[in-house]
Amino acid sequence: MAISFCKETNTFKLDTNSSTYIFGIFEGNYLVHYYYGAPIPDTDVEILRIRPGFASFCPDSPSARVFNFSPDVTPLEYSTFGAGDFRLSAFAIKNADGNKVTDLRYVSHEIYKGKKGLPGMPALYVNDESEADTLEVLTEDKVTGVQVTLVYSVFESKGAITRSVRVKNASKKAVFIDTVHSLCVDLPGYDYEMFDLYGRWVKERALERYPLHRGIQSIKSKRGSSSHNHNPFTALVKKGANEEYGDCYGFNLVYSSNFSIDVEVDGFASTRLVMGINPEGFCWHLSPDEEFCSPEAVMIFTDKGVGEMSRMFHRLYADNLVRGKWKKAKRPLLINNWEGTGMDFDHDKLVSFARHAKDMGIEMLVMDDGWFGHRDDDKSSLGDWYVAEYKLRKGLNGLIKEVNDLGLKFGIWFEPEMISPDSDVYKAHPDWCLHTENRDKSIARTQYVMDYSRKEVREYVYSMMKEILSNNNIDYVKWDFNRNLTEVSCAELPPEKQGEVFHRFVLGTYEIMERLVTDFPNLLLENCSGGGGRFDPGMLYYSPQIWTSDNTDPIERLTIQFGTSLCYPASTMGAHVSASRRASYETKKNVALWGSFGYELDPDKLTEEEIAEIKEQVKEYHKYYDVIHYGELYRLITPFENEFKVAWEFVSEDKNEALVTVVQIKQAYDPFFMLRLQGLDRNKYYEIEETGEVYSGAFLMNAGLNLTHKPNGDGQSYLIHLTAK
């Protein structure tokens, strides 16, 4: 098994194909972390615990009075508050006496094959129990009676370890969970750089890379979603690490609400990282015998560079996070009407849209916002999920029939978590939105947020969605979320449970999404939140693709897609060709092919030349689908390191095919350009389709291609397709 326990050294050893993780039971039943890094065979590693001598201000432990042991300097496996460890706390309970002192000690453990799911939450899964082994370590705070089970699942062949915690109140008095992180990792030294995928609307997931410093550095969201501003992902990489070499630790939280990633470098130059639910705004009331489960965190280590770290996440998520029919099935090529029409459409306009789309080879029409209630702008009707027949004169069924008769599938837009003040449902139930009594209701995009902590609200929303989907031939749903949460409280909950509303809200969202994909297993669900405002692994558990950004400009998209690819596979990234003004349709296509490809424009307004060009693009989409969706990504030149040009490459799993894309952001002063490829078989020979030239994989990776003759003007781009001879 990938997990073993050594009785002689009291250590747990978790092995993957790229890493070893070791922690153990120390004096006083403390759980102590020893090692996380490249594979090692050893189990007697207690020497790794020892830190430099410490001052008298670091408290001793009465139950572990051994040389050089203090909770404040020891690399504890799961740190707690108030019992001698003054660094970042992974866990804290406010007990019935009102204090938060928490001290968890080892009680027992269990190792088994396979992996269990998390109740009501997304998590990685196994297709067969041989894919993972699981360790559960029971710990207890003897004073409060609180039991915390640390859960580790090891995906040996994927190089990944998942972690979560399960909290049970085994006492006779209620307690409050104040802090519950999903993982805690201590690393020696601090010669690392930290990755932050930061941004805003239409500028998501740009990469900030900065060296760790003494003190605390954090990445957080308290917006009620993972957000445009930060992503629940970080990496700690050794200074000097790049795409091709160097130690890299990657961390990702499978969660779609408030998160916190905190890294502390202490006075002895050691590093601690904790990741989980953001403690700010969170407080969970736990009655006797009740349990609480944290979200799942994923951690990956490789010594082969940032690129390999990304590919490990991509393989893991493609195989063990994305679910359902569309995990492997080829997805239909879609066109969305939003950028073409906005809400100004009717039956005839959409049928004309579909007719032209069919002529170009497109396979599905998606009707976006504006089809319901009396929705002519963003000021009304959210929550009234019934058809606006003054727009769709033949009803929804009549529209879909005409689209289907043309040979196209049909998709539709919902924003199920939102409610407009000007809507029938709000007028009937003004208390169904998130609000705090006696305070103004903040409004954004002229909408409020449904209180998904309330069962009757969830039932109402889902019943309306289910009626639409059950009575119409709908193949696809775009699920949108266009504002963040304010006035987060619930009139239906008692005062002691008001700190639970953020988490209860996202659990409500997960519940409806789970019902949706269960009741409609053939449905293709795509998530959206003003573009990429909720691009996280929690959402990928329900939807195999997410709209990456509302920004469809191909040059702007480069930083967005490069940043997103640090953790998330190409198959999950919605990327469309639009009528944006900058760059040619060739470059728009070349950039959008990196992802779940589609169109976002009005085909009625295209010239004959543009239609002919799109027909050729559609052929390329089908030609390169497999190598992009199922191949491995290599970022050859990134926009975070080069302001002039970028390049990326997909290589098929069998290394018989490769597709290289080069985009010239702006013309370089030096036109000489050699590009070294990656990921090929050095012993195979590859033919370049365009020229017929044949080179060995070794030549292409070590010497490279001389691309000086290729287009290098502002915004120009090209593809290079290679196949093994």
Side-chain angles (χ1 to χ4, degrees), residues 176-295:
F176 290 91
I177 304 176
D178 182 77
T179 302
V180 55
H181 286 295
S182 299
L183 66 75
C184 173
V185 175
D186 281 8
L187 300 173
Y190 72 110
D191 56 335
Y192 302 100
E193 293 177 314
M194 185 173 180
F195 285 13
D196 178 7
L197 295 181
Y198 75 97
R200 54 176 170 77
W201 177 65
V202 301
K203 195 66 175 175
E204 299 92 333
R205 289 174 300 286
L207 173 62
E208 181 81 11
R209 177 173 176 169
Y210 47 85
L212 292 186
H213 58 79
R214 294 180 189 269
I216 297 173
Q217 38 258 284
S218 300
I219 303 169
K220 299 177 184 286
S221 172
K222 56 178 182 179
R223 295 170 171 266
S225 70
S226 47
S227 86
H228 297 83
N229 301 65
H230 297 284
N231 194 266
F233 162 82
T234 193
L236 299 182
V237 306
K238 281 286 188 180
K239 290 180 181 178
N242 63 17
E243 287 288 326
E244 298 181 59
Y245 68 86
D247 288 359
C248 299
Y249 298 88
F251 303 93
N252 201 198
L253 188 66
V254 187
Y255 193 56
S256 309
S257 187
N258 299 348
F259 70 89
S260 179
I261 305 170
D262 300 283
V263 178
E264 180 176 5
V265 178
D266 66 17
F268 299 105
S270 291
T271 299
R272 169 173 291 173
L273 182 146
V274 295
M275 168 186 275
I277 295 173
N278 192 338
E280 188 172 358
F282 173 84
C283 183
W284 194 271
H285 180 269
L286 204 62
S287 296
D289 294 323
E290 283 188 341
E291 287 191 347
F292 177 88
C293 289
S294 80

Side-chain angles (χ1 to χ4, degrees), residues 133 136 608:
D133 298 323
E136 296 193 7
E608 289 185 8

Side-chain angles (χ1 to χ4, degrees), residues 189-438:
Y190 72 110
D191 56 335
Y192 302 100
E193 293 177 314
M194 185 173 180
F195 285 13
D196 178 7
L197 295 181
Y198 75 97
R200 54 176 170 77
W201 177 65
V202 301
K203 195 66 175 175
E204 299 92 333
R205 289 174 300 286
L207 173 62
E208 181 81 11
R209 177 173 176 169
Y210 47 85
L212 292 186
H213 58 79
R214 294 180 189 269
I216 297 173
Q217 38 258 284
S218 300
I219 303 169
K220 299 177 184 286
S221 172
K222 56 178 182 179
R223 295 170 171 266
S225 70
S226 47
S227 86
H228 297 83
N229 301 65
H230 297 284
N231 194 266
F233 162 82
T234 193
L236 299 182
V237 306
K238 281 286 188 180
K239 290 180 181 178
N242 63 17
E243 287 288 326
E244 298 181 59
Y245 68 86
D247 288 359
C248 299
Y249 298 88
F251 303 93
N252 201 198
L253 188 66
V254 187
Y255 193 56
S256 309
S257 187
N258 299 348
F259 70 89
S260 179
I261 305 170
D262 300 283
V263 178
E264 180 176 5
V265 178
D266 66 17
F268 299 105
S270 291
T271 299
R272 169 173 291 173
L273 182 146
V274 295
M275 168 186 275
I277 295 173
N278 192 338
E280 188 172 358
F282 173 84
C283 183
W284 194 271
H285 180 269
L286 204 62
S287 296
D289 294 323
E290 283 188 341
E291 287 191 347
F292 177 88
C293 289
S294 80
E296 186 166 83
V298 182
M299 56 187 197
I300 277 173
F301 171 83
T302 178
D303 59 4
K304 293 181 172 58
V306 177
E308 180 60 15
M309 177 198 72
S310 296
R311 289 184 289 276
M312 291 166 70
F313 273 114
H314 298 171
R315 298 177 201 121
L316 181 71
Y317 287 172
D319 291 342
N320 301 99
L321 181 63
V322 172
R323 300 181 295 165
K325 171 182 176 179
W326 300 104
K327 171 179 176 176
K328 294 296 184 184
K330 188 175 182 181
R331 300 172 200 167
L333 175 58
L334 67 84
I335 186 167
N336 186 298
N337 74 295
W338 177 252
E339 288 195 24
T341 69
M343 299 183 197
D344 183 18
F345 62 82
D346 59 17
H347 175 96
D348 294 337
K349 174 65 177 174
L350 291 179
V351 171
S352 175
F353 215 93
R355 186 174 295 112
H356 284 93
K358 173 63 176 178
D359 181 57
M360 294 186 295
I362 293 169
E363 300 166 316
M364 181 163 67
L365 170 67
V366 175
M367 179 176 65
D368 211 281
D369 192 356
W371 59 268
F372 51 92
H374 57 279
R375 181 87 160 172
D376 294 316
D377 54 36
D378 64 6
K379 296 180 174 61
S380 76
S381 301
L382 289 172
D384 294 343
W385 301 112
Y386 51 82
V387 178
E389 295 195 355
Y390 69 95
K391 287 186 177 184
L392 305 182
R393 57 183 174 82
K394 295 186 180 181
L396 185 56
N397 204 276
L399 171 64
I400 294 173
K401 183 179 185 307
E402 290 197 35
V403 172
N404 289 164
D405 286 348
L406 290 169
L408 269 70
K409 297 178 182 295
F410 188 85
I412 196 167
W413 180 96
F414 282 95
E415 193 170 3
E417 295 149 288
M418 300 297 162
I419 183 171
S420 298
D422 180 11
S423 65
D424 294 342
V425 63
Y426 182 80
K427 292 167 186 173
H429 301 283
D431 61 320
W432 276 10
C433 70
L434 287 174
H435 66 282
T436 303
E437 294 298 326
N438 303 317

Side-chain angles (χ1 to χ4, degrees), residues 15-16 18-21 35-41 247 249 301-303:
D15 287 307
T16 79
S18 66
S19 65
T20 293
Y21 187 98
Y35 178 78
Y36 185 32
I40 60 174
D247 288 359
Y249 298 88
F301 171 83
T302 178
D303 59 4

